[in-house]
């Protein structure tokens, strides 16, 4: 079975804000002659925000300094999302805003990272003239070299995808951190090939990160005062480590390999053992791969939060088949039943797509009815946006008119708001253990934090008495569809 390797040490790197604005000191061993201050902006999923922290680490090791003021930066990096067309549009609008800056500051280098870089590759340099550097999600170690090339006045690009890269040895620099919660990337890529999704093309093949480096990162975060980690992967349930080599299905491993393999439930337990005071969350679970032992492990450890994000996408089995999701409506509902039988108060959220190819009113009605059956605590809801190169774009017609997609989406959103409010009302009178994250957005006399089920709770209190990172018991008095309001109780 698994033995921890104490040699792996992932320290926590923090941005030294006090050094911002200082004249840049060139390091003796700097491998290139680029300018020193970089600014980075992230779009899209949590994985992208986590990747930006890896990029920050690579650049600081190369001798550069981070700035939160893009006017002061010598290098502006945008870590992009390609999941829907409007995500790409936002990035293009942002690049247009940087155009004027580039005119004023001829030496400014602009780099596009992430999924849009991977999807468009060289085309991005042609379409967006102000872009100097393009780097895909597996090419971040090459960034110092790419920036050096740009510094010499040439365009630079690396969009090679890897079957091995996990950045497992890199200690992320915690950007925009509240000092309480952090992301830990446990795997990269996705092999699922949902027909609507561009991620397998932009993030490449699925590969799992070495468990020691994950546990070590969690431990270092805990020692630095963090009290919550979210383990990230596109499909965490297929996490698999068996001592090296490319990912295989667990079923295809030899008996000896199976004996020493670490699967997701094992990994969860290892991270939970770091400290009972460290909360563990994870995202995203896939209904076709989620197993009973993951839910049982959640139930066994009090510090693994009772919350699961289990995207359904549609309530119609016909649509799910066309989406290549690998489960039917009935199988999905069985998984929900399994979760609730083991953890009755588990928070459950989902992703839903309205108006996928050939979706009928009947299919849409089935989505609304599965929402009624599950009664999600929360939902991320979208209308279908065709992505070039995906299976759906090649095989199916995007034939649901935009107004119909929008109308169906608004019905889905309306129903979810009703359910969120119902859930929150049921919480009135209950007491939750809340991890204090900081002051509430609205008032300096109120604190905000989350309960186990990932719900934000606002309550009166001061940071001097209950600092960020401490746990308090809060009794809920009132709510909106998004937030619970309560007061501190001793227990
Ligand atoms: N497994 C991933 C899913 C990434 S995409 C994760 O870790 O979250 C997030 C969500 O975006 C998907 O679950 C899906 O609901 C939505 N999505 C993906 N492709 C889409 C498309 N082409 N149009 C609309 N929504 C899409
Ligand atoms: Fe996308 Fe499906 Fe993977 S939604 S990220 S292909 S699990």
């Amino acid at each position: 079975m698994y033995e921890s390797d104490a040699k792996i040490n992932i320290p926590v790197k923090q941005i030294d804000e006090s050094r911002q604005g200082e004249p840049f000191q060139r390091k003796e061993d700097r491998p290139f002659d680029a300018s020193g201050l970089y600014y980075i902006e992230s779009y899209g999923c949590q994985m992208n925000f986590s990747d930006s922290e890896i990029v920050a680490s690579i650049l600081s090791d190369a001798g550069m300094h981070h700035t939160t003021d893009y006017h002061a930066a010598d290098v502006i990096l945008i870590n992009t999302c390609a999941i829907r067309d409007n995500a790409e549009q936002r990035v293009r609008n942002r690049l247009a805003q940087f155009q004027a800056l580039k005119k004023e500051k001829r030496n400014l280098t602009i780099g596009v990272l992430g999924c849009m870089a991977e999807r468009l590759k060289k085309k991005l340099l042609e379409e967006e003239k102000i872009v100097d550097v393009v780097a895909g999600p597996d090419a971040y170690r090459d960034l110092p070299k790419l920036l050096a090339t740009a510094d010499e006045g040439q365009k630079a690009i690396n969009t090679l995808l890897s079957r091995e890269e996990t950045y497992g040895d890199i200690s992320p620099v915690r950007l925009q951190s509240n000092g309480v919660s952090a992301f830990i990337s446990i795997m990269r890529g996705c092999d699922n090939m949902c027909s609507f999704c561009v991620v397998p093309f932009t993030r490449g093949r699925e590969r799992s990160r070495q468990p020691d480096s994950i546990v070590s990162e969690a431990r270092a975060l805990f020692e630095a005062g963090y009290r919550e980690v979210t383990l990230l992967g596109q499909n965490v349930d297929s996490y698999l480590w068996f001592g090296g080599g490319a990912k295989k299905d667990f079923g295809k491993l030899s008996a000896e390999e199976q004996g020493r393999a670490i699967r997701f439930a094992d990994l969860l337990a290892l991270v939970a053992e770091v400290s009972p005071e460290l909360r563990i969350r994870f995202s995203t679970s896939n209904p076709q791969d989620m197993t009973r032992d993951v839910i049982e492990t959640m139930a066994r450890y009090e510090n693994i939060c009772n919350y699961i994000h289990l995207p359904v996408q549609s309530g119609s089995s016909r649509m799910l088949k066309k989406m290549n999701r690998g489960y039917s409506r009935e199988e999905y509902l069985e998984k929900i039943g399994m979760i609730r039988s083991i953890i009755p108060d588990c928070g459950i959220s989902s992703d839903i797509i309205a108006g996928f190819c050939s979706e009928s009113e009947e299919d849409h009605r089935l989505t609304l009815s599965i929402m009624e059956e599950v009664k999600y605590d929360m939902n991320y809801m979208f209308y279908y946006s065709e992505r070039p190169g995906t299976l759906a774009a090649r095989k199916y017609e995007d034939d649901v008119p935009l107004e119909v997609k929008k109308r169906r989406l608004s019905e889905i959103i309306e129903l979810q708001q009703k359910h969120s409010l119902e859930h929150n009302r049921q919480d009135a009178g209950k007491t939750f253990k809340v991890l204090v994250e900081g002051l509430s957005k609205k008032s300096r006399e109120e604190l905000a934090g989350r309960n186990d089920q990932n719900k934000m709770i606002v309550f009166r209190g001061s940071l001097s008495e209950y600092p960020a990172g401490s746990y308090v018991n809060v009794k809920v008095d009132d709510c909106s569809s998004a937030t619970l309001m309560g007061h501190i109780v001793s227990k």
Side-chain angles (χ1 to χ4, degrees):
M1 230 349 239
Y2 175 82
E3 268 178 69
S4 176
D5 180 351
K7 283 192 296 270
I8 295 180
N9 183 20
I10 305 277
V12 178
K13 287 187 186 169
Q14 305 270 19
I15 289 288
D16 182 358
E17 301 287 347
S18 66
R19 289 174 70 182
Q20 282 189 27
E22 258 182 35
F24 178 67
Q25 299 288 319
R26 182 163 299 154
K27 258 195 182 176
E28 288 295 307
D29 58 352
R30 263 186 85 209
F32 66 98
D33 194 20
S35 310
L37 275 180
Y38 72 94
Y39 167 84
I40 186 161
E41 198 167 272
S42 312
Y43 292 82
C45 64
Q46 294 170 331
M47 187 67 95
N48 251 12
F49 284 76
S50 167
D51 277 3
S52 291
E53 300 188 330
I54 287 166
V55 168
S57 182
I58 291 168
L59 296 184
S60 72
D61 284 350
M64 298 181 73
H65 290 172
H66 175 257
T67 175
T68 49
D69 174 12
Y70 67 82
H71 293 281
D74 306 296
V75 174
I76 293 180
L77 299 171
I78 311 189
N79 197 352
T80 60
C81 172
I83 200 83
R84 285 168 289 276
D85 184 57
N86 57 11
E88 292 199 2
Q89 223 36 64
R90 277 180 71 201
V91 169
R92 289 191 193 271
N93 294 343
R94 192 66 173 141
L95 285 170
Q97 286 172 8
F98 291 139
Q99 189 114 36
L101 207 63
K102 179 106 175 174
K103 278 200 189 115
E104 274 166 37
K105 213 169 160 180
R106 303 248 342 257
N107 289 337
L108 177 67
T109 298
I110 295 186
V112 176
L113 318 178
C115 290
M116 199 174 157
E118 191 62 51
R119 191 178 85 72
L120 292 164
K121 302 188 170 68
K122 218 169 77 207
K123 249 170 67 194
L124 193 60
L125 291 173
E126 292 155 11
E127 287 172 12
E128 299 287 345
K129 295 274 181 281
I130 65 161
V131 175
D132 306 293
V133 169
V134 170
D138 288 343
Y140 298 147
R141 287 183 204 264
D142 205 25
L143 263 177
K145 228 167 66 200
L146 297 172
L147 293 173
T149 307
D151 215 35
E152 285 159 13
Q154 291 170 48
K155 304 259 175 190
I157 176 163
N158 184 347
T159 52
L160 284 177
L161 286 173
S162 157
R163 277 173 175 254
E164 283 94 37
E165 181 63 272
T166 61
Y167 301 109
D169 58 321
I170 290 182
S171 162
V173 168
R174 304 294 164 183
L175 300 167
Q176 297 172 340
S177 166
N178 60 5
V180 176
S181 323
F183 296 127
I184 301 183
S185 163
I186 63 163
M187 58 207 293
R188 298 183 72 81
C190 186
D191 282 354
N192 271 4
M193 287 292 180
C194 302
S195 63
F196 51 79
C197 184
V198 78
V199 171
F201 303 93
T202 59
R203 289 190 160 269
R205 298 304 298 270
E206 183 181 290
R207 64 224 100 118
S208 296
R209 177 178 168 189
Q210 218 244 18
D212 297 307
S213 72
I214 297 169
V215 174
S216 165
E217 191 172 327
R219 191 175 301 121
L221 283 164
F222 181 73
E223 281 161 10
Y226 287 79
R227 289 295 174 264
E228 182 175 83
V229 294
T230 304
L231 308 182
L232 289 183
Q234 301 296 342
N235 183 8
V236 291
D237 301 293
S238 61
Y239 177 89
L240 176 62
W241 182 266
F242 62 99
K247 183 231 162 187
K248 287 192 223 166
D249 285 341
F250 183 77
K252 291 190 190 143
L253 300 182
S254 68
E256 186 267 320
E257 284 173 330
Q258 284 191 354
R260 64 183 147 90
I262 305 285
R263 303 174 80 184
F264 185 56
D266 308 317
L267 181 72
L268 266 181
L270 287 168
V271 180
E273 295 281 348
V274 166
S275 165
E277 292 292 295
L278 182 69
R279 270 187 173 178
I280 324 295
R281 297 187 186 278
F282 55 89
S283 186
T284 296
S285 303
N286 192 300
Q288 64 174 314
D289 296 315
M290 196 196 69
T291 50
R292 192 176 183 91
D293 58 345
V294 168
I295 309 301
E296 285 171 349
T297 307
M298 287 169 75
R300 207 162 59 239
Y301 287 91
E302 214 215 284
N303 56 332
I304 303 179
C305 291
N306 288 339
Y307 171 72
I308 190 154
H309 182 58
L310 195 69
V312 67
Q313 312 297 357
S314 167
S316 151
S317 293
R318 186 182 78 86
M319 283 290 105
L320 290 170
K321 188 145 195 271
K322 210 162 178 169
M323 288 173 165
N324 200 22
R325 288 290 288 179
Y327 55 86
S328 63
R329 176 189 175 98
E330 290 68 33
E331 284 163 338
Y332 181 88
L333 287 171
E334 271 169 32
K335 294 269 160 127
I336 296 287
M338 189 243 296
I339 298 170
R340 295 214 161 122
S341 70
I342 301 172
I343 308 175
D345 65 341
C346 194
I348 301 179
S349 62
S350 173
D351 294 342
I352 291 183
I353 300 178
F356 184 58
C357 311
S358 86
E359 188 189 69
S360 63
E361 284 304 319
E362 172 61 11
D363 294 316
H364 170 58
R365 208 190 50 71
L366 286 165
T367 295
L368 296 174
S369 81
I370 205 166
M371 290 174 71
E372 289 284 9
E373 274 196 52
V374 179
K375 288 226 167 45
Y376 294 104
D377 292 79
M378 212 190 2
N379 237 312
Y380 299 88
M381 301 153 285
F382 318 96
Y383 64 76
Y384 174 58
S385 159
E386 184 176 86
R387 307 314 292 135
T390 55
L391 195 85
R394 284 183 277 125
K395 269 179 70 177
Y396 309 129
E397 201 187 332
D398 180 14
D399 54 359
V400 178
L402 186 61
E403 327 74 86
V404 176
K405 286 180 182 173
K406 286 188 173 168
R407 194 252 305 147
R408 289 181 188 166
L409 177 62
S410 64
E411 288 173 13
I412 290 169
I413 293 174
E414 200 180 315
L415 184 59
Q416 184 53 47
Q417 274 169 348
K418 187 174 141 235
H419 290 162
S420 298
L421 190 60
E422 273 173 32
H423 269 288
N424 286 355
R425 284 201 177 124
Q426 282 164 10
D427 286 339
K430 290 187 192 160
T431 299
F432 295 104
K433 184 174 170 189
V434 172
L435 175 60
V436 179
E437 289 182 19
L439 289 173
S440 88
K441 281 196 193 119
K442 291 198 185 128
S443 159
R444 298 191 63 78
E445 277 148 34
E446 282 174 350
L447 301 177
R450 282 168 209 277
N451 68 3
D452 219 49
Q453 289 83 356
N454 209 25
K455 282 192 194 165
M456 188 58 91
I457 307 189
V458 173
F459 49 95
R460 277 187 84 83
S462 71
L463 283 176
S464 55
E465 215 176 332
Y466 305 102
S470 58
Y471 289 101
V472 284
N473 290 311
V474 178
K475 187 167 182 182
V476 176
D477 308 310
D478 200 0
C479 70
S480 68
S481 63
T483 316
L484 301 175
M485 278 75 85
H487 65 278
I488 296 177
V489 290
S490 52
K491 175 67 208 174

